[in-house]
């Protein structure tokens, strides 16, 4: 297609060259009659070189892990301890609420815990059980004495050495003591069960009061609202004296992490498929990126692609790509627009010429070249990719050709000029990446 393009425009170029040649002849005759010396021009000699080709995409920065700061307890703000729009660190106190209600809750919880611990200690001593066991021991001793009295009186009564009434009284006392022992045994069992139940109950109360104390201490800690992450903090939506509610839908403020900063941009479906083929240089974990800001400056830190979303946008036929850039200076903020440049491929043995050396007319591109005798010639060319301030020439030039870069406005085909080497400007030479 490029060859046919050259053939179609050949006639136009020949006519143009013929007309300009007449002007050149006129210039030659003027030189013979004392015309000015050859015009100075700056030229560049074409040399083949390996050129990296970059893709450029419109991108927008965003904060992936932005956090809304909210209150976990209710209370009035007593202090705001940060400056809006500054960097804060994780764990830094941002707001202090009225602490008095929560201090009182902690004190009450501590008192309740101490009381329950004392009850547990008393239950563990089992005072009632010990008393019941002592009563049982006394009753058993009385029972033994009653048995001994009966055993002693029975032989005496049988020999009529003691009154039968004494034996009857001893037998009655024995039965009474047996009943008392049985009752006290049941009392000891009941006291033992009650002691065990009381120990378990008071131990449970101790654990419950420990939980209440922990809750009170947490609420006291929540009364100081801290930064959950490090980053740039936004405006305070509730000022000192305002009421914070844990059920409010409005956050107190927001924090956005700035290092690294995330970017998102879109590539076409064709580009995505091209870079998934075997041997493609686009490897998601290795491909470096550069971020060009809205003012044209380049972020000094190279970025990296992190992920590609899982579906193509049906409306645009594009796929979203996300990446990160180190941002230790916190210069880049979420929501900014810029351009991402990515190395797409390498173009070996390419011929580069500065863009300003190329003239365009009716979609045709041409340059002025110099012959061995420093005469100006016109060449039609076909350009390809743009690399920085240069074009890659696909057709029309060969290695060793000299192309006029500066002074093309005054030269004519056939005229003799005074060439000097073209010097790249500082801004163009300092660019670290291609176009």
């Amino acid at each position: 297609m490029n060859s046919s393009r050259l053939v179609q425009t050949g006639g136009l170029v020949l006519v143009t060259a013929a007309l300009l040649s007449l002007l050149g002849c006129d210039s030659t005759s003027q030189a013979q009659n004392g015309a000015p010396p050859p015009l100075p021009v700056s030229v560049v000699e074409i040399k083949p070189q390996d050129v990296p080709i970059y893709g450029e995409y419109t991108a927008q920065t965003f904060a992936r892990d932005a956090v809304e700061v909210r209150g976990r307890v209710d209370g009035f703000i007593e202090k705001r301890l940060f400056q809006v729009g500054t960097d804060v660190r994780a764990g830094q106190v941002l707001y202090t609420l009225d602490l008095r209600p929560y201090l009182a809750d902690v004190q009450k919880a501590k008192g309740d815990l101490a009381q329950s611990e004392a009850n547990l200690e008393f239950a563990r001593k089992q005072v009632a059980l010990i008393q019941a066991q002592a009563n049982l021991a006394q009753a058993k001793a009385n029972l033994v004495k009653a048995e001994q009295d009966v055993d002693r009186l029975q032989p005496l009564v049988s020999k009529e050495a003691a009154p039968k009434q004494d034996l009857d009284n001893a037998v009655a006392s024995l039965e009474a003591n047996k009943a008392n022992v049985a009752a006290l045994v049941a009392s000891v069992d009941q006291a033992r069960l009650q002691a065990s139940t009381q120990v378990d109950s008071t131990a449970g109360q101790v654990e419950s009061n420990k939980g209440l104390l922990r809750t009170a201490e947490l609420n006291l800690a929540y009364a100081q609202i801290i930064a959950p992450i490090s980053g740039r903090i936004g405006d305070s939506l509730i000022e000192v004296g305002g009421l914070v509610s844990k059920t409010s839908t409005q956050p107190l403020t927001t924090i956005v992490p700035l290092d690294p900063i995330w970017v998102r941009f879109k590539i076409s479906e064709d580009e995505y498929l091209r870079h998934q083929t075997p041997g493609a240089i686009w490897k998601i974990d290795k491909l470096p990126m550069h971020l060009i800001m809205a003012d044209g400056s380049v972020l000094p830190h190279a970025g990296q692609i992190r992920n590609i979303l899982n579906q193509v946008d049906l409306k645009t036929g594009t796929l979203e790509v996300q990446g990160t850039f180190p941002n230790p200076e916190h210069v880049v903020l979420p929501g900014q627009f810029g351009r991402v440049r990515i190395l797409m491929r390498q173009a070996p043995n390419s011929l580069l010429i500065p863009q300003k050396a190329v003239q365009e007319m009716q979609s045709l591109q041409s340059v002025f070249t110099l012959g061995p005798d420093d005469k100006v010639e016109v060449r039609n060319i076909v350009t390809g990719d743009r690399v920085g301030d240069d074009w890659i020439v696909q057709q029309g030039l060969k290695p060793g050709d000299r192309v006029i870069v500066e002074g093309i406005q005054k030269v004519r085909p056939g005229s003799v000029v005074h060439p000097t080497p073209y010097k790249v400007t500082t801004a163009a030479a300092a660019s670290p990446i291609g176009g």
Side-chain angles (χ1 to χ4, degrees), residues 167-190:
L167 178 59
D168 294 339
N169 292 337
V171 170
S173 177
L174 175 61
E175 294 301 324
N177 280 293
K178 286 180 178 181
N180 189 37
V181 167
L184 291 176
V185 167
S187 178
V188 168
D189 292 339
Q190 184 179 5

Side-chain angles (χ1 to χ4, degrees), residues 7 93 116 128 135 159 262 327 344:
V7 171
V93 178
S116 61
N135 293 338
K159 296 178 181 181
W262 284 77
N327 189 29
M344 308 299 290

Side-chain angles (χ1 to χ4, degrees), residues 64-80:
R64 175 171 292 279
D65 300 317
V67 172
E68 293 182 341
V69 179
R70 298 178 180 273
R72 296 188 178 185
V73 294
D74 299 335
F76 291 93
I77 297 177
E78 284 196 340
K79 296 179 182 178
R80 176 169 63 82

Side-chain angles (χ1 to χ4, degrees), residues 26 76 118 196 307 345 357 394 400 412:
D26 183 62
F76 291 93
S196 176
N307 48 65
R345 60 185 176 86
Q394 295 179 334
R412 297 292 183 270

Side-chain angles (χ1 to χ4, degrees), residues 69-129:
V69 179
R70 298 178 180 273
R72 296 188 178 185
V73 294
D74 299 335
F76 291 93
I77 297 177
E78 284 196 340
K79 296 179 182 178
R80 176 169 63 82
L81 303 174
F82 66 91
Q83 184 68 32
V84 173
T86 60
D87 294 331
V88 297
R89 64 184 185 279
Q92 178 178 335
V93 178
L94 304 178
Y95 298 92
T96 298
L97 306 183
D98 185 0
L99 302 179
R100 292 172 296 178
Y102 300 104
L103 287 170
D105 289 343
V106 169
Q107 291 176 342
K108 181 179 183 304
K110 286 182 177 180
D112 292 342
L113 177 59
Q115 179 64 45
S116 61
E117 287 176 338
N119 293 338
L120 176 60
E121 183 64 23
F122 178 79
R124 284 174 175 169
K125 291 181 178 180
Q126 301 181 353
V127 175
L129 176 60

